[in-house]
Amino acid sequence: LQEEIQEVKDEGNLETLFNSLDKIVEEAKDREEPAWRPSGIPEEDVRSVMVPYLLKHRSYLQKVLKEKEEENRQVAESVLAGRARIAELQQLILARKQAWQ
């Protein structure tokens, strides 16, 4: 029986696994607060991890949105200035055409 137990321990590398389990148990003894355990409600368990990430991502997207809005405002001003210049040139062309006739 002892030989069979030793074979199982050798095949499954149980000695190393038991040693790592003992190490985890020893480390847990020094903790003041209890270890985290899932609540059984996956939505709540994931929320604690996802909310900070999503808030950070939202801040990033808001920053990018502000940059794009500023860029669009500048382009719109440029377009309006271009349209005004075109209107001026059309008036100048019309005036010169009338003067030529």
XYZ file of all heavy atoms in Angstrom:
831
model
N 0.829 -1.191 0.000
C 0.000 0.000 0.000
C 0.877 1.261 0.000
O 0.594 2.215 -0.714
C -0.927 -0.028 1.225
C -1.889 1.142 1.342
C -2.863 1.134 0.177
C -2.609 1.088 2.667
N 1.931 1.215 0.789
C 2.836 2.360 0.874
C 3.496 2.613 -0.484
O 3.674 3.761 -0.880
C 3.890 2.072 1.961
C 4.596 3.275 2.487
C 3.664 4.200 3.274
O 2.550 3.867 3.614
N 4.147 5.380 3.559
N 3.848 1.547 -1.196
C 4.470 1.689 -2.516
C 3.493 2.298 -3.512
O 3.878 3.139 -4.337
C 4.946 0.326 -3.020
C 6.125 -0.229 -2.264
C 6.488 -1.623 -2.744
O 6.011 -2.039 -3.818
O 7.262 -2.280 -2.038
N 2.242 1.902 -3.466
C 1.231 2.467 -4.372
C 1.034 3.954 -4.103
O 0.911 4.761 -5.034
C -0.092 1.720 -4.205
C -0.069 0.318 -4.778
C -1.404 -0.391 -4.591
O -2.423 0.286 -4.373
O -1.410 -1.631 -4.675
N 0.992 4.332 -2.848
C 0.851 5.755 -2.499
C 2.054 6.533 -3.020
O 1.909 7.626 -3.581
C 0.698 5.921 -0.974
C -0.645 5.353 -0.520
C 0.826 7.387 -0.578
C -0.842 5.331 0.977
N 3.239 5.957 -2.865
C 4.446 6.632 -3.355
C 4.401 6.776 -4.877
O 4.790 7.798 -5.423
C 5.701 5.879 -2.917
C 6.988 6.611 -3.219
C 7.047 7.958 -2.512
O 6.616 8.108 -1.372
N 7.584 8.950 -3.216
N 3.929 5.745 -5.594
C 3.806 5.817 -7.056
C 2.851 6.925 -7.475
O 3.123 7.690 -8.408
C 3.320 4.475 -7.614
C 4.372 3.416 -7.726
C 3.820 2.135 -8.352
O 3.016 2.241 -9.305
O 4.206 1.050 -7.885
N 1.699 7.006 -6.800
C 0.717 8.059 -7.119
C 1.327 9.432 -6.865
O 1.177 10.362 -7.666
C -0.581 7.856 -6.301
C -1.499 9.058 -6.443
C -1.297 6.584 -6.744
N 2.033 9.582 -5.756
C 2.675 10.858 -5.445
C 3.712 11.214 -6.506
O 3.813 12.376 -6.932
C 3.331 10.791 -4.068
C 2.339 10.857 -2.922
C 2.980 10.585 -1.577
C 3.959 11.606 -1.160
N 4.485 11.374 0.209
N 4.478 10.233 -6.949
C 5.512 10.486 -7.957
C 4.900 10.813 -9.313
O 5.363 11.725 -10.010
C 6.443 9.285 -8.082
C 7.301 9.095 -6.839
O 7.429 10.070 -6.063
O 7.825 7.974 -6.647
N 3.885 10.067 -9.709
C 3.263 10.281 -11.025
C 2.574 11.634 -11.126
O 2.661 12.313 -12.143
C 2.241 9.168 -11.306
C 2.852 7.849 -11.649
C 1.790 6.772 -11.871
O 0.601 7.106 -12.011
O 2.169 5.591 -11.898
N 1.865 12.010 -10.086
C 1.119 13.270 -10.139
C 1.886 14.459 -9.631
O 1.345 15.554 -9.518
N 3.162 14.248 -9.317
C 3.990 15.327 -8.785
C 3.329 15.924 -7.537
O 3.333 17.131 -7.329
C 4.244 16.389 -9.853
C 5.409 17.270 -9.521
O 6.231 16.938 -8.674
N 5.483 18.410 -10.177
N 2.717 15.056 -6.751
C 1.958 15.499 -5.587
C 2.830 16.116 -4.502
O 2.378 17.009 -3.788
C 1.148 14.330 -5.019
C 0.048 13.790 -5.929
C -0.675 12.640 -5.249
C -0.926 14.865 -6.329
N 4.045 15.664 -4.399
C 4.944 16.209 -3.372
C 5.093 17.724 -3.559
O 4.962 18.499 -2.612
C 6.308 15.523 -3.466
C 7.252 15.855 -2.342
C 7.049 14.921 -1.157
O 6.597 13.794 -1.344
O 7.376 15.367 -0.052
N 5.350 18.143 -4.789
C 5.504 19.572 -5.095
C 4.192 20.318 -4.867
O 4.191 21.424 -4.310
C 5.956 19.755 -6.559
O 7.122 18.982 -6.770
C 6.226 21.201 -6.872
N 3.092 19.713 -5.276
C 1.797 20.365 -5.098
C 1.449 20.529 -3.624
O 0.953 21.577 -3.207
C 0.706 19.571 -5.815
C 0.818 19.526 -7.350
C -0.246 18.601 -7.925
C 0.692 20.908 -7.940
N 1.714 19.497 -2.828
C 1.447 19.594 -1.396
C 2.342 20.640 -0.739
O 1.904 21.380 0.149
C 1.613 18.242 -0.709
C 0.484 17.287 -0.970
C 0.737 15.951 -1.230
C -0.830 17.713 -0.961
C -0.305 15.066 -1.467
C -1.879 16.840 -1.194
C -1.618 15.505 -1.452
N 3.586 20.713 -1.179
C 4.494 21.736 -0.635
C 4.002 23.142 -0.965
O 4.049 24.036 -0.122
C 5.913 21.534 -1.155
C 6.576 20.312 -0.560
O 6.191 19.852 0.509
N 7.573 19.776 -1.256
N 3.530 23.346 -2.195
C 3.015 24.676 -2.557
C 1.738 24.990 -1.787
O 1.513 26.131 -1.381
C 2.790 24.781 -4.064
O 1.727 23.951 -4.468
N 0.914 23.985 -1.547
C -0.290 24.192 -0.744
C 0.081 24.553 0.690
O -0.517 25.474 1.281
C -1.164 22.934 -0.777
C -2.474 23.004 -0.006
C -3.348 24.131 -0.548
C -3.202 21.678 -0.079
N 1.070 23.882 1.256
C 1.532 24.216 2.603
C 2.054 25.652 2.660
O 1.805 26.371 3.640
C 2.633 23.253 3.051
C 2.109 21.857 3.347
O 0.886 21.725 3.587
O 2.922 20.895 3.333
N 2.758 26.056 1.624
C 3.289 27.423 1.568
C 2.147 28.436 1.539
O 2.192 29.453 2.238
C 4.174 27.575 0.324
C 4.818 28.920 0.205
C 5.685 28.993 -1.040
C 6.245 30.389 -1.222
N 6.978 30.515 -2.479
N 1.123 28.167 0.761
C -0.033 29.069 0.681
C -0.728 29.167 2.036
O -1.108 30.249 2.484
C -1.008 28.594 -0.410
C -0.389 28.777 -1.792
C -2.327 29.339 -0.328
C -1.176 28.130 -2.917
N -0.879 28.029 2.704
C -1.521 28.020 4.020
C -0.698 28.828 5.013
O -1.241 29.607 5.806
C -1.722 26.563 4.501
C -2.127 26.532 5.968
C -2.751 25.854 3.647
N 0.617 28.687 4.986
C 1.482 29.442 5.903
C 1.383 30.941 5.638
O 1.343 31.746 6.572
C 2.935 28.972 5.768
C 3.215 27.636 6.393
C 2.945 27.612 7.898
O 3.323 28.589 8.593
O 2.363 26.634 8.370
N 1.361 31.332 4.367
C 1.245 32.753 4.033
C -0.099 33.310 4.478
O -0.197 34.465 4.880
C 1.423 32.953 2.530
C 2.835 32.742 2.038
C 2.939 32.812 0.514
O 1.912 32.986 -0.158
O 4.073 32.671 0.013
N -1.132 32.495 4.408
C -2.472 32.954 4.775
C -2.602 33.175 6.277
O -3.446 33.964 6.713
C -3.506 31.952 4.299
N -1.789 32.533 7.073
C -1.876 32.694 8.528
C -1.527 34.110 8.960
O -2.009 34.593 9.977
C -0.946 31.700 9.224
C -1.443 30.280 9.175
C -0.481 29.355 9.894
C -0.967 27.912 9.822
N -0.029 26.978 10.453
N -0.669 34.796 8.206
C -0.229 36.142 8.574
C -1.227 37.226 8.176
O -1.064 38.377 8.569
C 1.129 36.438 7.920
C 2.210 35.492 8.417
O 2.070 34.986 9.550
O 3.185 35.268 7.671
N -2.225 36.885 7.426
C -3.188 37.892 6.950
C -4.130 38.321 8.069
O -4.587 37.512 8.857
C -4.023 37.334 5.798
C -3.248 37.202 4.527
C -4.186 36.887 3.405
N -3.436 36.793 2.164
C -3.932 36.315 1.063
N -5.177 35.875 1.036
N -3.211 36.265 -0.020
N -4.420 39.596 8.064
C -5.372 40.150 9.029
C -6.801 40.010 8.531
O -7.691 39.625 9.267
C -5.059 41.640 9.270
C -3.711 41.889 9.892
C -3.672 41.493 11.355
O -4.688 41.660 12.035
O -2.620 41.005 11.800
N -7.016 40.391 7.271
C -8.373 40.357 6.703
C -8.617 39.006 6.033
O -7.668 38.341 5.610
C -8.596 41.500 5.705
C -7.899 41.339 4.387
C -6.501 41.892 4.328
O -6.069 42.586 5.268
O -5.824 41.622 3.331
N -9.863 38.642 5.915
C -10.156 37.352 5.262
C -9.869 37.427 3.766
O -9.906 38.494 3.162
C -11.651 37.156 5.516
C -12.190 38.515 5.805
C -11.062 39.306 6.394
N -9.588 36.278 3.195
C -9.313 36.204 1.757
C -10.593 36.467 0.979
O -11.699 36.234 1.468
C -8.761 34.828 1.414
N -10.426 36.956 -0.229
C -11.587 37.227 -1.078
C -12.234 35.917 -1.488
O -11.573 34.949 -1.827
C -11.150 37.999 -2.331
C -12.284 38.275 -3.248
C -13.150 39.317 -3.175
C -12.687 37.507 -4.388
N -14.069 39.241 -4.189
C -13.807 38.133 -4.952
C -12.218 36.343 -4.963
C -14.456 37.660 -6.057
C -12.870 35.867 -6.080
C -13.972 36.520 -6.623
N -13.533 35.920 -1.426
C -14.302 34.771 -1.872
C -15.398 35.278 -2.804
O -15.962 36.335 -2.569
C -14.970 34.051 -0.693
C -14.004 33.498 0.320
C -13.338 32.222 -0.214
N -12.515 31.571 0.794
C -11.217 31.709 0.884
N -10.574 32.480 0.057
N -10.543 31.075 1.808
N -15.694 34.525 -3.851
C -16.771 34.956 -4.744
C -18.106 34.965 -4.009
O -18.343 34.150 -3.120
C -16.761 33.921 -5.862
C -15.969 32.781 -5.367
C -15.095 33.271 -4.261
N -18.948 35.911 -4.398
C -20.238 36.048 -3.728
C -21.255 35.046 -4.240
O -22.290 34.852 -3.623
C -20.776 37.465 -3.945
O -21.090 37.659 -5.317
N -20.977 34.473 -5.383
C -21.952 33.572 -5.999
C -22.770 34.281 -7.050
O -23.545 33.660 -7.777
N -22.622 35.591 -7.136
C -23.313 36.382 -8.158
C -22.230 36.922 -9.090
O -21.529 37.876 -8.749
C -24.118 37.531 -7.527
C -25.103 36.967 -6.490
C -24.856 38.322 -8.598
C -25.762 38.021 -5.633
N -22.066 36.313 -10.258
C -20.956 36.697 -11.148
C -20.944 38.175 -11.504
O -19.872 38.774 -11.610
C -21.179 35.835 -12.388
C -21.986 34.679 -11.919
C -22.831 35.194 -10.793
N -22.112 38.784 -11.673
C -22.158 40.204 -12.044
C -21.489 41.069 -10.981
O -20.745 41.995 -11.283
C -23.604 40.674 -12.257
C -24.289 40.047 -13.452
C -24.895 38.688 -13.141
O -24.943 38.281 -11.947
O -25.306 38.003 -14.096
N -21.748 40.759 -9.702
C -21.139 41.531 -8.618
C -19.643 41.256 -8.507
O -18.857 42.156 -8.229
C -21.831 41.216 -7.298
C -23.226 41.767 -7.205
C -23.879 41.469 -5.865
O -23.176 41.011 -4.943
O -25.095 41.698 -5.758
N -19.260 40.010 -8.721
C -17.843 39.652 -8.631
C -17.030 40.351 -9.715
O -15.916 40.816 -9.465
C -17.668 38.135 -8.744
C -18.326 37.394 -7.588
O -18.544 38.026 -6.529
O -18.615 36.204 -7.742
N -17.565 40.439 -10.907
C -16.855 41.054 -12.027
C -16.869 42.574 -11.910
O -15.928 43.249 -12.310
C -17.478 40.599 -13.365
C -16.919 41.372 -14.531
C -17.261 39.116 -13.560
N -17.925 43.109 -11.332
C -18.076 44.562 -11.230
C -16.893 45.197 -10.518
O -16.392 46.251 -10.947
C -19.375 44.891 -10.500
C -19.695 46.378 -10.506
C -21.038 46.676 -9.865
N -22.096 46.027 -10.620
C -23.057 45.300 -10.062
N -23.111 45.141 -8.757
N -23.987 44.747 -10.813
N -16.397 44.596 -9.448
C -15.299 45.195 -8.691
C -14.035 45.322 -9.524
O -13.220 46.196 -9.296
C -15.018 44.383 -7.428
O -14.541 43.096 -7.772
N -13.885 44.458 -10.502
C -12.713 44.513 -11.374
C -12.982 45.415 -12.570
O -12.121 46.185 -12.988
C -12.340 43.093 -11.858
C -11.208 43.143 -12.851
C -11.984 42.219 -10.680
N -14.175 45.336 -13.117
C -14.474 46.032 -14.364
C -14.754 47.522 -14.193
O -14.432 48.311 -15.072
C -15.674 45.380 -15.055
C -15.383 43.989 -15.590
S -14.040 43.944 -16.783
C -14.740 44.881 -18.126
N -15.367 47.922 -13.083
C -15.746 49.327 -12.917
C -14.533 50.252 -12.994
O -14.568 51.242 -13.747
C -16.560 49.525 -11.620
C -16.687 50.997 -11.268
C -17.941 48.895 -11.770
N -13.436 50.008 -12.288
C -12.283 50.917 -12.437
C -11.756 50.965 -13.871
O -11.418 52.038 -14.382
C -11.235 50.331 -11.490
C -12.002 49.529 -10.509
C -13.193 49.006 -11.245
N -11.711 49.819 -14.529
C -11.259 49.783 -15.920
C -12.187 50.589 -16.811
O -11.741 51.391 -17.645
C -11.174 48.338 -16.413
C -11.008 48.233 -17.909
C -9.781 48.487 -18.502
C -12.088 47.920 -18.731
C -9.624 48.414 -19.874
C -11.939 47.846 -20.101
C -10.711 48.089 -20.668
O -10.571 48.034 -22.023
N -13.486 50.404 -16.647
C -14.454 51.111 -17.487
C -14.435 52.610 -17.212
O -14.572 53.415 -18.145
C -15.858 50.537 -17.273
C -16.050 49.100 -17.767
C -17.427 48.584 -17.377
C -15.838 49.000 -19.267
N -14.243 53.016 -15.961
C -14.142 54.441 -15.649
C -12.909 55.059 -16.302
O -12.966 56.160 -16.853
C -14.108 54.658 -14.137
C -15.414 54.380 -13.395
C -15.195 54.486 -11.893
C -16.517 55.306 -13.861
N -11.806 54.342 -16.257
C -10.581 54.824 -16.903
C -10.785 54.929 -18.412
O -10.384 55.916 -19.034
C -9.432 53.869 -16.584
C -8.108 54.285 -17.133
C -7.028 53.293 -16.729
C -5.698 53.652 -17.352
N -4.656 52.677 -17.026
N -11.429 53.926 -18.980
C -11.677 53.930 -20.418
C -12.636 55.062 -20.794
O -12.460 55.710 -21.821
C -12.244 52.581 -20.846
C -12.235 52.352 -22.315
N -11.072 52.307 -23.053
C -13.244 52.182 -23.210
C -11.366 52.111 -24.324
N -12.670 52.032 -24.443
N -13.644 55.314 -19.958
C -14.577 56.411 -20.223
C -13.842 57.745 -20.213
O -14.071 58.603 -21.077
C -15.704 56.408 -19.199
C -16.717 57.526 -19.465
C -17.884 57.472 -18.547
N -17.479 57.849 -17.204
C -18.313 57.943 -16.185
N -19.584 57.654 -16.337
N -17.871 58.302 -15.007
N -12.936 57.937 -19.247
C -12.153 59.186 -19.196
C -11.328 59.353 -20.464
O -11.252 60.450 -21.026
C -11.231 59.177 -17.984
O -11.965 59.142 -16.805
N -10.720 58.266 -20.909
C -9.934 58.319 -22.132
C -10.818 58.692 -23.322
O -10.461 59.549 -24.132
C -9.253 56.972 -22.379
C -8.653 56.845 -23.752
C -7.481 57.513 -24.081
C -9.277 56.090 -24.742
C -6.938 57.420 -25.347
C -8.748 55.984 -26.005
C -7.575 56.657 -26.311
O -7.047 56.568 -27.575
N -11.983 58.065 -23.421
C -12.882 58.350 -24.547
C -13.392 59.786 -24.495
O -13.528 60.436 -25.537
C -14.054 57.367 -24.552
C -13.701 55.927 -24.911
C -14.929 55.034 -24.768
C -13.138 55.835 -26.315
N -13.657 60.312 -23.297
C -14.080 61.701 -23.178
C -12.979 62.649 -23.641
O -13.250 63.653 -24.302
C -14.491 62.007 -21.733
C -15.810 61.378 -21.351
C -16.132 61.545 -19.873
O -15.243 61.769 -19.044
N -17.401 61.418 -19.530
N -11.742 62.319 -23.295
C -10.604 63.143 -23.721
C -10.488 63.137 -25.245
O -10.330 64.191 -25.871
C -9.319 62.609 -23.092
C -8.068 63.318 -23.524
C -6.835 62.651 -22.956
C -5.614 63.191 -23.647
N -4.501 62.280 -23.622
N -10.591 61.952 -25.844
C -10.503 61.841 -27.298
C -11.658 62.587 -27.952
O -11.475 63.267 -28.968
C -10.480 60.352 -27.727
C -10.626 60.214 -29.222
C -9.195 59.694 -27.256
N -12.855 62.483 -27.360
C -14.020 63.176 -27.902
C -13.801 64.682 -27.895
O -14.085 65.362 -28.898
C -15.271 62.811 -27.101
C -16.552 63.533 -27.506
C -16.941 63.151 -28.932
C -17.672 63.206 -26.537
N -13.279 65.223 -26.798
C -13.009 66.662 -26.730
C -12.003 67.078 -27.796
O -12.155 68.118 -28.440
C -12.502 67.049 -25.344
C -13.584 67.065 -24.296
C -13.040 67.480 -22.956
C -14.128 67.428 -21.898
N -13.644 67.813 -20.584
N -10.964 66.256 -27.983
C -9.963 66.573 -29.003
C -10.596 66.585 -30.395
O -10.329 67.482 -31.196
C -8.824 65.557 -28.958
C -7.959 65.665 -27.725
C -6.959 64.528 -27.599
O -6.954 63.606 -28.462
O -6.177 64.539 -26.625
N -11.434 65.599 -30.683
C -12.075 65.531 -32.002
C -13.055 66.676 -32.197
O -13.162 67.230 -33.295
C -12.799 64.183 -32.184
C -11.860 63.013 -32.277
C -10.933 63.143 -33.455
C -9.932 62.009 -33.510
N -8.962 62.174 -34.581
N -13.784 67.043 -31.136
C -14.708 68.165 -31.246
C -13.948 69.459 -31.534
O -14.400 70.280 -32.350
C -15.540 68.305 -29.969
C -16.622 67.250 -29.839
C -17.351 67.310 -28.507
O -16.834 67.929 -27.537
O -18.452 66.725 -28.437
N -12.798 69.652 -30.885
C -11.982 70.842 -31.138
C -11.456 70.824 -32.575
O -11.471 71.840 -33.270
C -10.825 70.917 -30.135
C -9.864 72.059 -30.373
C -10.517 73.429 -30.266
O -11.556 73.573 -29.594
O -9.969 74.374 -30.864
N -11.016 69.653 -33.006
C -10.527 69.522 -34.382
C -11.647 69.827 -35.373
O -11.436 70.547 -36.356
C -10.011 68.103 -34.584
C -9.375 67.836 -35.932
C -8.902 66.397 -36.041
O -8.387 65.848 -35.053
O -9.051 65.842 -37.144
N -12.840 69.308 -35.118
C -13.981 69.566 -35.994
C -14.362 71.044 -36.002
O -14.729 71.595 -37.039
C -15.191 68.725 -35.568
C -15.013 67.266 -35.898
O -14.145 66.894 -36.683
N -15.833 66.426 -35.278
N -14.262 71.698 -34.830
C -14.565 73.132 -34.755
C -13.590 73.926 -35.629
O -13.989 74.819 -36.382
C -14.484 73.604 -33.297
C -14.936 75.065 -33.106
C -14.630 75.540 -31.707
N -13.210 75.524 -31.385
C -12.313 76.406 -31.839
N -12.680 77.368 -32.662
N -11.050 76.318 -31.486
N -12.311 73.558 -35.558
C -11.317 74.252 -36.365
C -11.552 74.023 -37.854
O -11.422 74.949 -38.664
C -9.909 73.799 -35.975
C -9.485 74.257 -34.602
C -8.143 73.684 -34.181
O -7.551 72.872 -34.877
N -7.662 74.106 -33.010
N -11.909 72.814 -38.231
C -12.186 72.511 -39.633
C -13.426 73.272 -40.099
O -13.449 73.810 -41.211
C -12.348 70.985 -39.848
C -12.893 70.678 -41.224
C -11.025 70.276 -39.620
N -14.448 73.338 -39.245
C -15.670 74.071 -39.603
C -15.358 75.554 -39.813
O -15.864 76.176 -40.766
C -16.733 73.885 -38.530
N -14.522 76.126 -38.940
C -14.123 77.530 -39.110
C -13.372 77.711 -40.425
O -13.582 78.697 -41.145
C -13.254 77.982 -37.946
C -14.001 78.185 -36.657
C -13.083 78.563 -35.505
O -11.856 78.692 -35.717
O -13.598 78.726 -34.397
N -12.508 76.772 -40.745
C -11.747 76.839 -41.991
C -12.681 76.769 -43.198
O -12.510 77.512 -44.171
C -10.734 75.702 -42.026
O -10.073 75.661 -43.258
N -13.676 75.895 -43.128
C -14.635 75.761 -44.227
C -15.432 77.048 -44.392
O -15.626 77.535 -45.518
C -15.571 74.557 -43.990
C -16.755 74.576 -44.939
C -14.796 73.246 -44.135
N -15.883 77.610 -43.279
C -16.641 78.865 -43.352
C -15.784 79.995 -43.921
O -16.269 80.805 -44.725
C -17.186 79.242 -41.976
C -18.300 78.335 -41.444
C -18.684 78.750 -40.033
C -19.508 78.380 -42.364
N -14.524 80.054 -43.514
C -13.623 81.078 -44.050
C -13.421 80.868 -45.547
O -13.399 81.835 -46.327
C -12.288 81.039 -43.314
N -13.293 79.608 -45.962
C -13.136 79.300 -47.384
C -14.376 79.691 -48.172
O -14.273 80.228 -49.283
N -15.549 79.421 -47.614
C -16.798 79.802 -48.292
C -16.916 81.313 -48.418
O -17.357 81.832 -49.446
C -18.001 79.247 -47.533
C -18.172 77.765 -47.695
C -19.374 77.264 -46.942
N -19.511 75.827 -47.086
C -20.352 75.094 -46.396
N -21.149 75.657 -45.493
N -20.418 73.791 -46.583
N -16.514 82.021 -47.362
C -16.558 83.492 -47.404
C -15.602 84.004 -48.473
O -15.953 84.932 -49.238
C -16.205 84.066 -46.039
N -14.434 83.408 -48.560
C -13.455 83.827 -49.587
C -13.993 83.545 -50.985
O -13.831 84.358 -51.900
C -12.129 83.085 -49.356
C -11.061 83.407 -50.353
C -10.571 84.830 -50.206
N -9.529 85.057 -51.191
C -9.364 86.186 -51.851
N -10.154 87.209 -51.614
N -8.403 86.297 -52.724
N -14.651 82.394 -51.158
C -15.253 82.062 -52.460
C -16.335 83.073 -52.824
O -16.419 83.517 -53.973
C -15.815 80.628 -52.441
C -14.660 79.622 -52.418
C -16.722 80.372 -53.629
C -15.101 78.190 -52.199
N -17.161 83.443 -51.838
C -18.216 84.429 -52.094
C -17.609 85.766 -52.501
O -18.101 86.430 -53.430
C -19.099 84.593 -50.860
N -16.524 86.177 -51.829
C -15.838 87.426 -52.188
C -15.309 87.360 -53.623
O -15.453 88.312 -54.404
C -14.677 87.695 -51.241
C -15.060 88.086 -49.845
C -13.841 88.200 -48.939
O -12.697 88.252 -49.442
O -14.039 88.216 -47.709
N -14.691 86.228 -53.963
C -14.134 86.081 -55.313
C -15.243 86.074 -56.368
O -15.075 86.635 -57.457
C -13.298 84.808 -55.403
C -11.981 84.818 -54.630
C -11.317 83.438 -54.677
C -11.033 85.886 -55.183
N -16.375 85.447 -56.041
C -17.496 85.454 -56.985
C -18.002 86.872 -57.210
O -18.318 87.264 -58.339
C -18.634 84.558 -56.486
C -18.350 83.073 -56.632
C -19.450 82.204 -56.041
O -20.203 82.635 -55.176
N -19.524 80.967 -56.522
N -18.074 87.668 -56.145
C -18.496 89.067 -56.276
C -17.485 89.860 -57.109
O -17.858 90.669 -57.958
C -18.658 89.709 -54.885
C -19.831 89.195 -54.102
C -21.151 89.515 -54.784
O -21.312 90.549 -55.417
N -22.100 88.590 -54.670
N -16.212 89.607 -56.872
C -15.168 90.291 -57.631
C -15.236 89.913 -59.105
O -15.133 90.780 -59.986
C -13.794 89.934 -57.048
C -12.583 90.601 -57.699
C -12.652 92.112 -57.530
C -11.303 90.055 -57.101
N -15.439 88.633 -59.380
C -15.554 88.171 -60.770
C -16.764 88.814 -61.428
O -16.687 89.287 -62.583
C -15.639 86.630 -60.830
C -14.291 86.015 -60.451
C -16.084 86.150 -62.204
C -14.340 84.510 -60.250
N -17.883 88.848 -60.727
C -19.103 89.435 -61.273
C -18.897 90.921 -61.543
O -19.312 91.431 -62.606
C -20.267 89.214 -60.298
C -21.638 89.696 -60.766
C -22.062 88.946 -62.035
C -22.663 89.498 -59.675
N -18.244 91.612 -60.621
C -17.991 93.047 -60.798
C -17.085 93.300 -62.002
O -17.339 94.190 -62.818
C -17.383 93.643 -59.528
N -16.048 92.504 -62.159
C -15.129 92.681 -63.280
C -15.792 92.311 -64.607
O -15.539 92.922 -65.644
C -13.867 91.863 -63.093
C -12.992 92.446 -61.993
C -11.654 91.799 -61.926
N -10.843 92.416 -60.897
C -9.687 91.987 -60.522
N -9.162 90.908 -61.094
N -9.008 92.605 -59.581
N -16.660 91.303 -64.553
C -17.392 90.905 -65.764
C -18.305 92.033 -66.219
O -18.369 92.349 -67.409
C -18.199 89.647 -65.474
C -18.990 89.137 -66.646
C -19.790 87.894 -66.268
C -20.716 87.489 -67.399
N -21.599 86.397 -67.013
N -19.016 92.636 -65.252
C -19.899 93.739 -65.587
C -19.117 94.962 -66.086
O -19.534 95.654 -67.011
C -20.767 94.124 -64.383
C -21.819 93.088 -64.072
C -22.605 93.421 -62.809
O -22.234 94.336 -62.076
N -23.643 92.648 -62.565
N -17.961 95.204 -65.482
C -17.127 96.321 -65.911
C -16.584 96.064 -67.309
O -16.469 96.996 -68.134
C -15.969 96.538 -64.931
N -16.280 94.867 -67.645
C -15.739 94.521 -68.950
C -16.806 94.665 -70.038
O -16.527 95.079 -71.147
C -15.198 93.109 -68.937
C -14.560 92.715 -70.227
C -13.381 93.134 -70.705
C -15.106 91.817 -71.177
N -13.103 92.563 -71.939
C -14.182 91.731 -72.240
C -16.274 91.074 -71.245
C -14.404 90.949 -73.350
C -16.475 90.274 -72.359
C -15.539 90.222 -73.402
N -18.062 94.333 -69.694
C -19.143 94.429 -70.687
C -19.495 95.864 -70.848
O -19.871 96.413 -71.768
C -20.350 93.606 -70.237
C -20.115 92.120 -70.303
C -21.317 91.313 -69.794
O -22.235 91.861 -69.221
N -21.275 90.025 -69.999
